[in-house]
Amino acid sequence: MIGEPVNRVDGPLKATGRAAYAYEHWEAGQPLYGFIVGATIGKGRITRIGTESAESTPGVHLVLTHLNAPEQGPRDESAIFEYWCAQPVLTGPDIHHFGEPVALVVAETLEQARDAAARVEVEYSAGRGRFDFAEYEDEVYIPKVVNAGLPTDTEVGDFDAGFDSAEVRVDQLYTTPYELSLPIEPNACLAEPRGEELVLYVSCQIVNAAQASVAGTLRMDPERVHVVAPFVGGGFGSKLGIHSETILAAMAARTLRRPVKVALTRQQVFQLVGMRPMSSQRVRLGAARDGRLTAIAHDVTMHTNPDIEYAEQTAATTRSLYAAPHRLTSHRLTALDLPRGTDVRAPGEAPGMLAVESAMDELADALGMDPVELRIRNEPGVDPERGVPYSDRHLVDCLREGARRFGWEDRPAAPASVREGRWLVGYGMSAAIRGHFQGPTAVRVRLEPDGTAVVRSDMTDIGTGTYTILTQVAAEGLGLPPERVRIELGRSELPTSWGSGGSWGATNSCTAAHRACIALRAKLLEAACGDTRSPLHGLDPAGAVLADGGVRIGEVSEDVGAIVARCSEEMEAEGRVRYMADDPHYSDYSINSYGAHFAEVGVDADTAEIRLRRMLGVFSVGRVFNPKTTRSQLIGGMVWGVGAALEEEAVVDPRSGAFVNRDLAGYLVPVHADITDVDAVVLDSFDGKANVLGAKGVGELGVCGSGAAVVNAVFNATGVRVRDFPVTIEKVLPGLPPMAA
C-alpha cells in the first residue's frame, strides 16, 4: 500500500461537510460567542477603558479587559520551542502592536457580540512606535540562536580574502516583505468547561503544544486541559502555537461556566497570529571564470518584536547548498513594534532561497554561463560547512531531469531577445533544498476482534493527507485492506506527537506507526503460534505472511480477527520516534530534500504585466508514501513561490503600525487565473538515514526556490533585474527595453 496513489480516506467527510473544524463543533450544546476588540494604536498605553455601554447591550454576558482578566502564567523563555510557552493576553494597559486584544465581548449571538464590541470605549496615550523597517534597519542586535536552534552565524575559511581575489563577483541586496500564512480556516476555538476540566476544540497544528500552552497560561494541570482537533483547515505555520482567540475563549468559558466560541476575522488574522519577518539580505558570490565558487556569503537582517524574539533561519540553507572554500552566514534582528515574527510556509528557506538563487542567476549572467551548468559545477561532495556526508543527495539529477523535461535548451540565450506578439518571453530556473527534521512522536496501533486496526495519535491532519498515509502504512504493515483500518487523530488523550509542521509530520507519524505495526505483528504471531486452538499452533512464525486480513504460514491460514478474539489481553503496540538531536544519523549526515524549478513567463511589452505560462518542479524526497498527495503538496508549494515572487506583500502604515492591506482583496495571492500549467515530478529514491521508511519531508520543499525561478524568468524575458520582492509592474515597467516601448 505504501507508494500507491490512494484517494484521501477523509475525502467523503470533507466533501459532504461532515468533517468538523474548530468552529463547527456542537458537542458542548449552544455556546456563547466572543468577539475581540483590538487596539487602534501601535504603541502606547490604555488610559481609560469604558465597558458600561457594551455590558448593557442585549445578550452580553461578559466584557473581559485587563482590569478583570484572570491572573495568567508568564511565558517560559527557557523553553526550546515557544509553541509550548504560555501566551498571556489582557495582562496590562500597555499596547505593543496595532490590533493587540484590549477586550473580549461575550454574548448570546455573534452579531450581538460584534455590535457590543464596537461600544467598548478605549482611550489611549499613544507613544512613538518603531514601525518602519528601513528607518531602523541599522539598529541591529545578534540573536543567540535562530529558529530550530541553529547557530546564528557560521564562518569557514577566509571569506574576505576569497571574495576579494575572485575573478567574478556578485554583491547585491535583496529585500523580502512581510508575508502571512492565511489558511482558509481562520484561527478559532470553542472552549467548554466541564467542572475542573476544560475541553478545547481548537484549530492547531501541534496538539501537545496547545495543551501545554493553555495550561501554562491559565495555571492549570495539563491533564485537565483536553484538546480536540480532528480536522484543521490549513495552518502553514500560523497554528503551530495557539493565539489570543484560544486563551480568551478559555478564560471566558471558565469565568462564565458556559461554552464560548471565538474566531478571528480575516482582518484580525493579519494582526494577531504573526507573520514572516521583513528581511534585507546581502548576498555575495565570488567565482572563478569557470564558474566555480570560491566564496559565498549570506547576511540577513530582519524584523523582530521587542518582547517576543523570532529569528527566521533565512541564511541557514546557504550553508549546505553549494561548494565554496570560503563561507560566511549571519543573522541580525531589528526590533519593531509590530506583531511578532513566526513560522510561515518554509520558514527561512523560502525567503533565503529567493535571494540566493536570484544571486546565482546574476552570477550566471555575469559569467555568460548556463544557470543549470553553474549549479552543477558547484555541487559539493560533502556538506561544505559541517564536513559530513550527505545522506542521499540527488540535486544534480533533479537539475538534469528538469532541464530535459522542460526543454531548457530552448531558453533565450540573451535577455529580452524573444517576443511573441505583445509578450516578451523568458525562462528561469533555480535549485531547491530543505532540511529534514525529526521530532518525538508516538503512535499506538490496536487490532480489534472484528479484524480491524485502530491507529491512534494526537497527530493532526491540516489538509495534507495524514489520515490517508497512516491508513496505507498500517494496512501494509498488518496485511489489511484499507477499509479495515481506522485512524483516530487530534486529541490530547492520544499518544503524543510533534504534530504537523516543518514538513516533519508525515515521516514522524508514519515511521512511528510502522514500528508499532512491526511490534504488533510479532505479538499477533506469538499469540497464534502459541495457541493450541489456532490452526497455526506450533508453526514457525518466521515464514508468516500477513495479507488480505489473515495470517498464512505455508498452506495454513487464519483470520486476524479470530486470533485477536481469543486473546485475553488487548492486542496493541506503540511505536516511537525520537528527537533528531538524539539520533546519530542527524549528527553524522546532512539530511535534506532537494529539487529543481523551471518557469516560463510572458511579460507584456507595453504594460509590464507578468504572466506565468508554465512551471515544472523535479524533486527528490526519498520514498513517497502517496504519489497523489505528494504531487498535490509540491504543486501547492510551487504556487506559494509564485505568490512570493509576484504578489504577496503585507504593507505597514508607518504612522500606526497597522497593515494597510489586511484582507484578501488587498493582500494578493495567486488565484486560478494566475496559475496555468504547473507540474511536479518526483524521482525514485530512498533515504535510509532519514528513517527506516526512507522518506523525507515534502510539504514545504515546493516553495523553496520556486519564486526565484519565476523572478529569473522575468529577467530573462525583459533584462530587468528586480531585487525588491515581489516583482510588480511598477518595478519592471521603467526598465523595459526601448524596442518594447
Side-chain angles (χ1 to χ4, degrees):
M1 287 300 300
I2 298 177
E4 294 299 316
V6 176
N7 289 333
R8 292 176 184 260
V9 298
D10 54 330
L13 290 176
K14 292 180 175 179
T16 56
R18 290 177 291 150
Y21 294 86
Y23 204 71
E24 299 171 337
H25 285 276
W26 294 97
E27 291 91 327
Q30 182 61 46
L32 301 173
Y33 293 84
F35 193 87
I36 295 173
V37 180
T40 56
I41 63 170
K43 183 69 174 179
R45 289 175 61 86
I46 298 171
T47 57
R48 175 185 170 274
I49 185 162
T51 61
E52 296 82 3
S53 178
E55 290 168 335
S56 64
T57 301
V60 171
H61 285 250
L62 175 68
V63 179
L64 273 178
T65 71
H66 71 278
L67 299 174
N68 64 343
E71 184 179 354
Q72 300 163 68
R75 289 174 53 84
D76 179 7
E77 300 300 338
S78 67
I80 298 177
F81 295 102
E82 70 112 8
Y83 318 126
W84 278 261
C85 291
Q87 303 290 343
V89 293
L90 302 181
T91 56
D94 291 334
I95 301 301
H96 305 89
H97 64 83
F98 189 94
E100 179 180 359
V102 297
L104 176 76
V105 178
V106 182
E108 291 286 342
T109 69
L110 175 61
E111 292 76 14
Q112 289 173 330
R114 188 166 191 158
D115 176 61
R119 301 172 187 267
V120 176
E121 301 168 359
V122 188
E123 296 176 5
Y124 303 96
S125 173
R128 185 176 186 273
R130 295 162 59 99
F131 308 130
D132 189 337
F133 180 76
E135 181 180 352
Y136 298 100
E137 185 179 344
D138 294 334
E139 299 181 20
V140 301
Y141 71 92
I142 306 174
K144 292 181 180 179
V145 295
V146 297
N147 197 27
L150 297 172
T152 301
D153 299 347
T154 60
E155 184 173 6
V156 175
D158 186 339
F159 172 78
D160 290 335
F163 186 71
D164 291 343
S165 63
E167 295 176 289
V168 180
R169 293 188 292 271
V170 169
D171 185 350
Q172 296 293 351
L173 194 67
Y174 304 88
T175 57
T176 62
Y178 302 109
E179 296 174 351
L180 293 103
S181 296
L182 299 179
I184 292 177
E185 179 199 20
N187 302 70
C189 177
L190 164 62
E192 179 194 1
R194 296 180 183 174
E196 296 302 313
E197 311 286 306
L198 180 65
V199 180
L200 300 173
Y201 303 89
V202 61
S203 188
C204 66
Q205 293 177 238
I206 309 176
V207 166
N208 183 251
Q211 180 186 41
S213 186
V214 171
T217 307
L218 301 185
R219 299 180 183 272
M220 294 180 64
D221 179 350
E223 296 298 319
R224 293 188 178 276
V225 178
H226 309 278
V227 175
V228 183
F231 296 99
V232 180
F236 315 128
S238 69
K239 298 172 184 176
L240 287 169
I242 53 94
H243 300 284
S244 55
E245 81 289 337
T246 300
I247 298 300
L248 291 170
M251 287 197 300
R254 297 187 80 204
T255 300
L256 295 170
R257 294 295 174 187
R258 292 275 304 275
V260 175
K261 278 187 177 183
V262 180
L264 299 183
T265 66
R266 182 61 66 185
Q267 292 79 10
Q268 288 173 334
V269 168
F270 277 76
Q271 301 288 170
L272 295 181
V273 302
M275 71 282 197
R276 191 193 303 282
M278 175 176 278
S279 77
S280 174
Q281 305 180 46
R282 184 186 183 190
V283 180
R284 289 172 285 174
L285 304 175
R289 286 288 175 190
D290 65 359
R292 299 187 188 280
L293 288 168
T294 58
I296 181 170
H298 191 181
D299 300 299
V300 182
T301 300
M302 70 195 85
H303 117 278
T304 188
N305 180 277
D307 302 300
I308 304 177
E309 181 179 285
Y310 176 80
E312 191 171 31
Q313 69 276 32
T314 308
T317 299
T318 308
R319 299 168 183 172
S320 297
L321 187 51
Y322 298 119
H326 306 291
R327 320 175 62 84
L328 187 70
T329 68
S330 70
H331 299 83
R332 300 293 181 266
L333 298 179
T334 295
L336 299 178
D337 298 310
L338 296 174
R340 62 181 177 178
T342 191
D343 296 332
V344 173
R345 294 177 281 164
E349 293 91 350
M353 295 202 72
L354 187 54
V356 168
E357 287 299 284
S358 295
M360 284 293 284
D361 197 68
E362 297 207 43
L363 179 61
D365 184 60
L367 290 165
M369 181 177 290
D370 181 272
V372 173
E373 177 57 31
L374 174 64
R375 288 162 173 82
I376 293 174
R377 194 158 295 188
N378 288 285
E379 174 70 3
V382 298
D383 188 292
E385 297 208 7
R386 295 177 55 201
V388 299
Y390 292 102
S391 62
D392 181 62
R393 179 172 167 124
H394 296 286
L395 176 56
V396 171
D397 295 333
C398 293
L399 290 165
R400 288 180 171 151
E401 181 64 12
R404 184 189 70 80
R405 288 173 177 260
F406 191 77
W408 183 251
E409 69 274 9
D410 297 329
R411 171 181 176 265
S417 62
V418 173
R419 183 167 178 168
E420 296 179 4
R422 61 187 284 191
W423 296 99
L424 296 164
V425 180
Y427 287 13
M429 61 78 54
S430 69
I433 182 175
R434 191 179 189 282
H436 174 72
F437 300 98
Q438 178 176 295
T441 297
V443 173
R444 187 179 302 122
V445 182
R446 188 177 76 234
L447 284 169
E448 303 281 17
D450 62 359
T452 62
V454 182
V455 180
R456 291 190 169 104
S457 175
D458 75 357
M459 172 67 183
T460 51
D461 189 325
I462 59 175
T464 49
T466 308
Y467 283 100
T468 305
I469 58 176
L470 283 175
T471 297
Q472 292 177 258
V473 170
E476 178 168 300
L478 298 173
L480 298 174
E483 58 271 17
R484 286 175 62 174
V485 176
R486 185 172 81 250
I487 310 296
E488 296 181 4
L489 301 177
R491 301 184 71 97
S492 53
E493 288 72 26
L494 301 177
T496 303
S497 75
W498 234 27
S500 300
S503 300
W504 61 62
T507 54
N508 284 342
S509 58
C510 286
T511 299
H514 172 74
R515 288 174 173 162
C517 288
I518 290 176
L520 190 53
R521 284 172 62 110
K523 292 180 68 173
L524 182 71
L525 292 173
E526 181 182 8
C529 297
D531 188 345
T532 57
R533 296 167 293 178
S534 171
L536 302 172
H537 176 255
L539 298 179
D540 184 2
V545 174
L546 275 67
D548 302 320
V551 178
R552 187 178 72 254
I553 301 177
E555 299 301 319
V556 182
S557 64
E558 186 175 19
D559 186 78
V560 167
I563 301 172
V564 176
R566 288 195 304 269
C567 293
S568 58
E569 298 180 357
E570 286 191 339
M571 184 66 68
E572 66 178 19
E574 188 166 282
R576 291 184 172 273
V577 171
R578 55 184 166 174
Y579 183 46
M580 58 189 177
D582 302 321
D583 187 332
H585 282 162
Y586 285 81
S587 57
D588 296 344
Y589 296 91
S590 181
I591 306 178
N592 308 279
S593 297
Y594 302 94
H597 298 280
F598 296 83
E600 177 185 342
V601 302
V603 182
D604 190 288
D606 296 313
T607 67
E609 176 188 352
I610 303 167
R611 284 291 178 184
L612 179 70
R613 290 186 163 198
R614 62 191 177 104
M615 196 171 187
L616 170 69
V618 177
F619 304 96
S620 175
V621 297
R623 188 184 189 188
V624 170
F625 294 132
N626 185 316
K628 183 176 291 189
T629 57
T630 295
R631 181 174 178 272
S632 175
Q633 286 277 288
L634 290 168
I635 288 177
M638 293 166 69
V639 174
W640 286 345
V642 176
L646 303 179
E647 296 176 312
E648 287 194 61
E649 180 179 18
V651 179
V652 173
D653 185 337
R655 300 165 300 177
S656 65
F659 285 117
V660 176
N661 54 336
R662 52 183 183 269
D663 57 37
L664 290 175
Y667 182 92
L668 302 181
V669 296
V671 297
H672 286 293
D674 300 318
I675 306 298
T676 53
D677 180 9
V678 179
D679 195 12
V681 175
V682 180
L683 304 181
D684 289 336
S685 183
F686 184 95
D687 192 338
K689 303 299 187 299
N691 48 64
V692 68
L693 292 175
K696 292 183 287 194
V698 170
E700 291 160 295
L701 179 63
V703 72
C704 296
S706 54
V710 176
V711 169
N712 296 336
V714 172
F715 170 75
N716 185 245
T718 64
V720 180
R721 184 74 72 178
V722 178
R723 303 181 183 93
D724 176 31
F725 305 120
V727 179
T728 52
I729 288 174
E730 64 272 18
K731 298 172 186 176
V732 176
L733 186 60
L736 286 180
M739 59 169 271

